[in-house]
Amino acid sequence: STSFRRLDMEKNMRNATNNAFSEFEVVYQPIVDVTRESNPCVGAEALIRWNSGELGLIAPTDFIPLAEYLGLINPIGAYVLEEACKRCKYWNDMGHPDYKVNVNLSVVQLLQNDIVKKIKGIIDEVGIEPGNLCLEVTESLAINDMVRMKRILSEIKALGVKVALDDFGTGYSSLNHIREMPLDIIKIDKCFIEHLGEDDFSDAFVKMVTELANTIGVHVCVEGVETDRQYAIIKKMGIYYIQGYFFDKPMCIESFEEKYI
Ligand code: C2E
Ligand code: MG
Ligand code: MG
């Protein structure tokens, strides 16, 4: 039954991609800077949703690995990037010139030969300030080719775009990566936030990464902040960029703009 579901998903994903992406929706989760009093929102992370006509709502963690395997992440990711840039440009024009949008970039996208040209193309077409776009990349086995990865990320940064290392602390993390990669932001994975205040390792890990980041002039953002207690601990550690249900869940465009624009 698993392989039938996989085939089903593959067929539906190809159709959805060929069908003007109408089954896909981009939602936005605010990122806040807790040092800002009046409006702490500094932008949002764009997150994809797939509402398949045949299969129902499918979470990104369920379909992105297959999309990567099939290469469909390239057109889907390009769609998300363009939508997110357009939205952010609109927010910037509507009185929030500093709002940024974070977009997840799969390593499969990153390894396309013309990825830098593609990103530049979208930025130029939409007219977004490049510094208001932040691309989130994760460490993966592909990062074994650090020389290539560093070159690509440096070229992306040369466009003026920001780079964040997502889900830090999981997967193939290496402390050397945060020193070698040209990063602006490290996003500490939510699994370390979950047990903050009750698990010494989590506390020490978040503290250590924050200290390292401060030392090399990189910002820290924590994901998955849900409770008062987690929020209090994070604030006490001097971390100011926060993303989590404590503030808001990912929201449809209308809800996000109603609240934050
Ligand atoms: P991510 O990039 O680390 O995004 C953060 C995930 O954490 C989102 O899940 C978000 O809804 C969730 N989250 C945020 N705050 C909280 C919280 O307080 N508690 C809990 N339990 N969860 C929280 P989502 O939207 O399901 O996305 C999952 C992953 O799928 C993303 O993780 C990212 O790796 C991937 N993804 C989503 N959209 C895209 C996309 O457009 N392109 C690519 N390549 N990957 C995407
Ligand atoms: Mg992300
Ligand atoms: Mg993450």
Side-chain angles (χ1 to χ4, degrees):
S1 72
T2 321
S3 56
F4 273 126
R5 165 133 178 117
R6 208 206 78 121
L7 278 176
D8 241 17
M9 218 198 268
E10 172 170 348
K11 187 189 80 194
N12 281 283
M13 204 187 296
R14 288 193 192 282
N15 288 339
T17 307
N18 292 329
N19 243 327
F21 304 96
S22 59
E23 292 186 346
F24 294 104
E25 184 189 356
V26 184
V27 294
Y28 296 87
Q29 184 178 31
I31 299 173
V32 305
D33 175 346
V34 296
T35 62
R36 289 163 52 125
E37 304 246 308
S38 55
N39 174 20
C41 179
V42 288
E45 177 171 6
L47 295 157
I48 194 169
R49 297 291 176 263
W50 179 22
N51 196 354
S52 160
E54 271 187 45
L55 304 170
L57 197 67
I58 307 173
T61 41
D62 287 335
F63 73 85
I64 283 177
L66 182 61
E68 288 177 324
Y69 177 72
L70 297 171
L72 289 174
I73 193 66
N74 292 332
I76 294 172
Y79 170 75
V80 175
L81 181 60
E82 182 168 348
E83 287 300 303
C85 286
K86 281 184 188 158
R87 225 54 229 168
C88 184
K89 166 81 170 122
Y90 173 74
W91 304 335
N92 296 154
D93 290 344
M94 292 300 285
H96 300 281
D98 296 332
Y99 273 18
K100 297 181 173 43
V101 76
N102 285 33
V103 180
N104 295 286
L105 204 67
S106 152
V107 69
V108 176
Q109 289 174 272
L110 207 57
L111 292 175
Q112 297 170 98
N113 284 323
D114 57 349
I115 184 62
V116 182
K117 212 175 118 203
K118 278 185 174 155
I119 296 168
K120 183 170 186 332
I122 290 177
I123 291 173
D124 290 347
E125 184 199 315
V126 173
I128 185 179
E129 183 61 47
N132 283 349
L133 172 64
C134 177
L135 295 174
E136 299 191 358
V137 302
T138 51
E139 296 164 294
S140 78
L141 268 185
I143 266 183
N144 271 348
D145 190 350
M146 266 312 272
V147 175
R148 178 166 182 203
M149 196 53 77
K150 263 164 53 182
R151 180 179 53 76
I152 298 171
L153 292 179
S154 302
E155 285 174 24
I156 290 176
K157 283 199 54 151
L159 300 174
V161 173
K162 304 263 187 317
V163 175
L165 184 58
D166 203 357
D167 303 335
F168 187 73
T170 64
Y172 302 94
S173 296
S174 148
L175 289 177
N176 209 30
H177 289 163
I178 59 180
R179 172 163 156 170
E180 295 215 336
M181 289 166 79
L183 299 174
D184 298 282
I185 298 169
I186 294 169
K187 295 186 81 172
I188 300 179
D189 192 73
K190 52 181 173 298
C191 68
F192 298 100
I193 308 311
E194 200 180 337
H195 301 292
L196 223 49
E198 49 194 44
D199 167 43
D200 292 344
F201 185 87
S202 297
D203 291 23
F205 182 82
V206 176
K207 259 192 221 153
M208 174 201 72
V209 174
T210 305
E211 205 168 303
L212 275 178
N214 288 338
T215 308
I216 55 173
V218 170
H219 295 286
V220 166
C221 175
V222 293
E223 311 185 280
V225 176
E226 295 185 358
T227 66
D228 286 317
R229 199 176 64 162
Q230 291 164 345
Y231 176 65
I233 296 173
I234 291 296
K235 252 188 114 169
K236 219 173 137 197
M237 287 182 179
I239 297 170
Y240 38 90
Y241 288 137
I242 297 186
Q243 185 181 346
Y245 296 174
F246 183 72
F247 292 98
D248 272 307
K249 291 195 169 174
M251 306 158 97
C252 68
I253 290 179
E254 293 73 22
S255 308
F256 179 85
E257 294 184 350
E258 201 174 301
K259 186 163 174 188
Y260 292 106
I261 301 303

